[in-house]
Amino acid sequence: MPFTWPNLLTLTRIALIPVFVVVFFMPYGWAPPVTCLIFALAGFTDWLDGYLARRFNESSPFGRFLDPVADKLMVMAALVLLLAANPHMWLAMAVIIIIGREFTIAALREWMAEVGASRHVAVSYLGKVKTTVQMLAIGFMLFQYPLGPVPVYAIGVVLMFAAAGLTLWSMVLYL
């Protein structure tokens, strides 16, 4: 593995997952905002490692493999924690849709690479929109607290259902 800044940032994102889980379960009022902050920091390191890899031509096969794995691990950890905190049937459906899509698309990409058609499963604009809505939903739900009259958690739930819908739509388009 080449020790580049982008790869180190990706490894840092993976190392943040246990910290994220521990803080999520802490019984203090500051835990939800700090959990949200850790999730946002992980998102920032995702953006930064991609920027640095392109800017300084430090892209590597290992980094191209590990970066999406790190992203999926953090998102799946967040989704499982949110579901554990609020085991509601509709939230469970949204979480299953989102996690199921990730496995399906990963398998599709692997299969397409085997048959030499990996360019046919490139990231789409809809996938980027889905990811943005999903990340906002997770962040709002992790934060939990209202900001004045703004019901942050409720907005996060609505965004989560929108993300699940976009997830299904993008998966159908991929398939």
Side-chain angles (χ1 to χ4, degrees), residues 1-15 17 46 49 60-74:
M1 170 190 85
F3 283 100
T4 63
W5 281 110
N7 287 347
L8 290 174
L9 285 169
T10 300
L11 291 170
T12 299
R13 196 159 59 254
I14 293 170
I17 294 170
D46 181 31
D49 73 41
S60 68
F62 180 75
R64 284 188 296 277
F65 157 75
L66 193 61
D67 182 65
V69 170
D71 300 343
K72 286 169 186 29
L73 288 173
M74 179 59 87

Side-chain angles (χ1 to χ4, degrees), residues 18-28 30-36 38:
V19 175
F20 175 75
V21 172
V22 168
V23 172
F24 182 88
F25 283 109
M26 288 187 159
Y28 304 110
W30 52 261
V34 171
T35 303
C36 178
I38 293 168

Side-chain angles (χ1 to χ4, degrees), residues 29-84:
W30 52 261
V34 171
T35 303
C36 178
L37 183 65
I38 293 168
F39 187 77
L41 178 63
F44 176 72
T45 65
D46 181 31
W47 171 83
L48 185 59
D49 73 41
Y51 171 79
L52 292 174
R54 288 184 297 277
R55 174 80 168 88
F56 297 108
N57 198 25
E58 291 186 337
S59 183
S60 68
F62 180 75
R64 284 188 296 277
F65 157 75
L66 193 61
D67 182 65
V69 170
D71 300 343
K72 286 169 186 29
L73 288 173
M74 179 59 87
V75 167
M76 288 183 192
L79 290 171
V80 168
L81 292 176
L82 289 169
L83 186 56

Side-chain angles (χ1 to χ4, degrees), residues 1 69 143 168-169:
M1 170 190 85
V69 170
F143 189 83
L168 284 174
W169 184 15

